[in-house]
Amino acid sequence: AGGAGVVNQTHALARPSDAAFRAAALAVPVAGVRLPARLDARASFTGQNSCDPVDKSGAVAFGRLMRATYRTGIVGISRWCNGSASEHMEGRAVDWMLDARRPAQKAVGDAATAWLVANRGENARRLGVMYIIWNRRMWRAYAPERGWQPYTGASPHTDHVHVSLTWDGATKRTSWWTGRAVTVSDLGPCRAYAGSPAPIYAGRRTGSCRAPVAAPGSRYPVYVPGQRSPNIAIAQRRLGIGADGAFGHGTRRAVLAYQRKARLPRTGVLDKATWVRLVPSSAITRPRPAPTPAPPRVTPPPVTKLPARVTTRYTSLKNTRIGPGARGTAVRVLQKGLNVPSTGYFGPQTRTALVAFQRSRRLPATGRTDLKVWNRLEVRQFPWLAYLKTTVRRGSTGPSVVALQKALRLRADGQFGPGTATAVMTVQARYGLKPDAIVGPLTWRAVAAAGPK
């Protein structure tokens, strides 16, 4: 739910005093319609699978309801698509900025979330809430019997309440807004091509998706809004718009218009199918494969010894303190973690980047490393480290599955399906573990050992 790249953000209401916060915490949202006795259908988890960074009406209305009721806050909704999994990239997740470290603001966040989840999530169902993350805890409308569970993602969500909405909630179709309960859940768009985002939302879907087909081959990679590349300028020239190489709102509108005209899936993304039609010379002709001979009998590879503990490039540096003027390997590791040139010299650019990182993680902005800096860098670069005590398996969803898929170098869609299970069993067999696709502490250790370092 975290990440940079906010596209649309609504600002409202001056910053209130602590007394105003405490008074606001006593408020309760009121519906503008007569609510039916029947509750809306229980939410199912429908993670982000399209790239549509446009604020949805239900998300805007939810943010306004929270601000109007509790008289405080700034709300952020849409974000550019950056490759991670977040409903912000479909305009159906709301970040309501409150600081859990300030007692008065925490009282507002606690009161609002308690109202949403009361009676096994009655109000959450009426609003189309899918899940809530606030102050290191997560509540799921699709599993209300679990109650609030510890949340150990990269962002602790102590500076905002995150609310992801179902497609019914995002389209303002639930009983809170209409007075009529939704009886069959909207499951959102389906992918047309494997490895490409789904088309943008165009209407309700209540049945299963067909399996996506293989995308056409193109020499150009897939680009999404928010990215920059000389290749994007090639597409812009073909589309007859300004060729600045930046994939902004204007380019997205042009891509959508072209996809409609060419009768392609309207993803709003420069995907492989769009590249092949837009720049036919980029198409890759796949030769017909020769008949596959019977596989020779091979000896299984020897089992690799499972490491006693998980280590990364940061492990040996946890007690290393460096600052301006330092040189060496530790500086290179720091620079790589901060995404600045890896020169091996701790100069002004490295210090500026480190101070910005410390402030973003609410650490003292000393411009020098310490244990907390190394730990935060490590978890940001290797997010699966936060889930070493979490068990996931077939059917699991959410941030822990995203982290697992990143460690396995898979497409991170947050859904533990057959492809993820196969990759897990491959790693388990490699390290002599039972290949059952259940990821517990030992398998996490094997995944970490086999993953990026």
Side-chain angles (χ1 to χ4, degrees):
V6 175
V7 178
N8 301 316
Q9 193 174 63
T10 304
H11 300 265
L13 305 177
R15 184 180 182 89
S17 64
D18 282 357
F21 269 113
R22 285 189 288 271
L26 302 175
V28 175
V30 178
V33 298
R34 183 181 180 86
L35 296 175
R38 183 174 186 172
L39 288 180
D40 298 78
R42 174 167 162 165
S44 57
F45 180 79
T46 50
Q48 174 243 337
N49 71 348
S50 63
C51 177
D52 189 16
V54 177
D55 293 2
K56 301 301 180 287
S57 60
V60 173
F62 180 87
R64 288 175 177 168
L65 176 67
M66 293 297 105
R67 295 198 316 271
T69 302
Y70 298 100
R71 306 300 300 165
T72 184
I74 295 174
V75 167
I77 300 177
S78 298
R79 293 180 184 166
W80 289 127
C81 307
N82 60 13
S84 62
S86 170
E87 289 76 39
H88 283 296
M89 298 163 199
E90 291 177 327
R92 58 185 181 102
V94 177
D95 280 349
W96 182 26
M97 309 311 293
L98 293 171
D99 191 341
R101 295 169 301 178
R102 296 175 63 91
Q105 295 188 37
K106 181 177 181 293
V108 172
D110 289 347
T113 54
W115 176 82
L116 285 167
V117 308
N119 299 325
R120 292 176 64 86
E122 175 181 337
N123 296 312
R125 284 174 68 167
R126 293 195 184 280
L127 284 160
V129 170
M130 187 166 67
Y131 63 84
I132 305 167
I133 308 175
W134 162 239
N135 193 22
R136 305 179 191 276
R137 298 191 303 161
M138 182 175 184
W139 181 87
R140 302 161 174 84
Y142 47 89
E145 66 280 357
R146 297 173 62 184
W148 286 98
Q149 295 286 311
Y151 179 76
T152 55
S155 167
H157 289 71
T158 53
D159 58 355
H160 68 279
V161 179
H162 173 94
V163 177
S164 280
L165 301 175
T166 65
W167 279 106
D168 289 306
T171 51
K172 210 176 175 183
R173 197 183 291 122
T174 54
S175 61
W176 185 271
W177 310 113
T178 67
R180 298 182 302 277
V182 170
T183 57
V184 181
S185 296
D186 182 357
L187 303 177
C190 297
R191 297 181 191 272
Y193 292 111
S196 296
I200 62 173
Y201 183 86
R204 298 189 77 225
R205 174 181 67 87
T206 57
S208 300
C209 290
R210 294 181 179 179
V213 300
S218 171
R219 292 182 176 85
Y220 293 112
V222 175
Y223 291 101
V224 299
Q227 291 185 305
R228 290 177 175 270
S229 170
N231 290 333
I232 295 174
I234 294 172
Q236 290 169 326
R237 284 190 286 270
R238 293 290 182 127
L239 293 167
I241 60 176
D244 61 359
F247 200 145
H249 288 293
T251 301
R252 181 175 181 272
R253 287 192 294 269
V255 168
L256 284 168
Y258 177 81
Q259 289 171 334
R260 181 189 293 277
K261 182 178 179 181
R263 298 187 177 182
L264 294 166
R266 297 186 70 240
T267 61
V269 165
L270 284 168
D271 52 31
K272 297 288 187 177
T274 302
W275 274 118
V276 168
R277 293 289 290 277
L278 195 61
V279 188
S281 61
S282 73
I284 298 173
T285 302
R286 294 188 175 95
R288 179 177 296 180
T292 304
R297 182 175 297 179
V298 296
T299 302
V303 173
T304 302
K305 183 178 179 181
L306 184 66
R309 62 191 183 100
V310 175
T311 60
T312 71
R313 66 171 65 99
Y314 295 97
T315 302
S316 63
L317 301 176
K318 295 298 181 69
N319 295 319
T320 302
R321 294 175 177 268
I322 55 174
R327 296 178 182 272
T329 301
V331 178
R332 292 184 185 277
V333 173
L334 173 65
Q335 290 169 328
K336 187 170 184 178
L338 294 172
N339 296 318
V340 297
S342 182
T343 63
Y345 171 67
F346 197 131
Q349 184 180 10
T350 302
R351 185 183 186 280
T352 299
L354 176 55
V355 167
F357 177 79
Q358 288 172 319
R359 287 173 175 164
S360 72
R361 296 304 188 272
R362 300 186 182 279
L363 298 174
T366 62
R368 304 182 67 85
T369 65
D370 56 20
L371 176 61
K372 290 184 177 180
V373 168
W374 292 120
N375 283 340
R376 299 296 195 281
L377 284 169
E378 184 178 48
V379 172
R380 184 174 75 165
Q381 193 159 2
F382 307 110
W384 51 90
L385 295 175
Y387 300 101
L388 296 180
K389 296 182 180 179
T390 302
T391 299
V392 294
R393 65 191 74 206
R394 289 182 180 91
S396 296
T397 59
S400 58
V401 179
V402 170
L404 171 66
Q405 290 167 328
K406 288 181 177 179
L408 294 169
R409 299 179 176 91
L410 302 176
R411 181 174 63 83
D413 61 5
Q415 301 184 54
F416 199 130
T420 304
T422 298
V424 168
M425 289 189 289
T426 300
V427 172
Q428 289 174 322
R430 175 180 172 184
Y431 287 95
L433 303 175
K434 180 181 178 181
D436 55 6
I438 298 174
V439 184
L442 288 179
T443 299
W444 274 116
R445 196 192 308 170
V447 167
K453 296 296 187 291

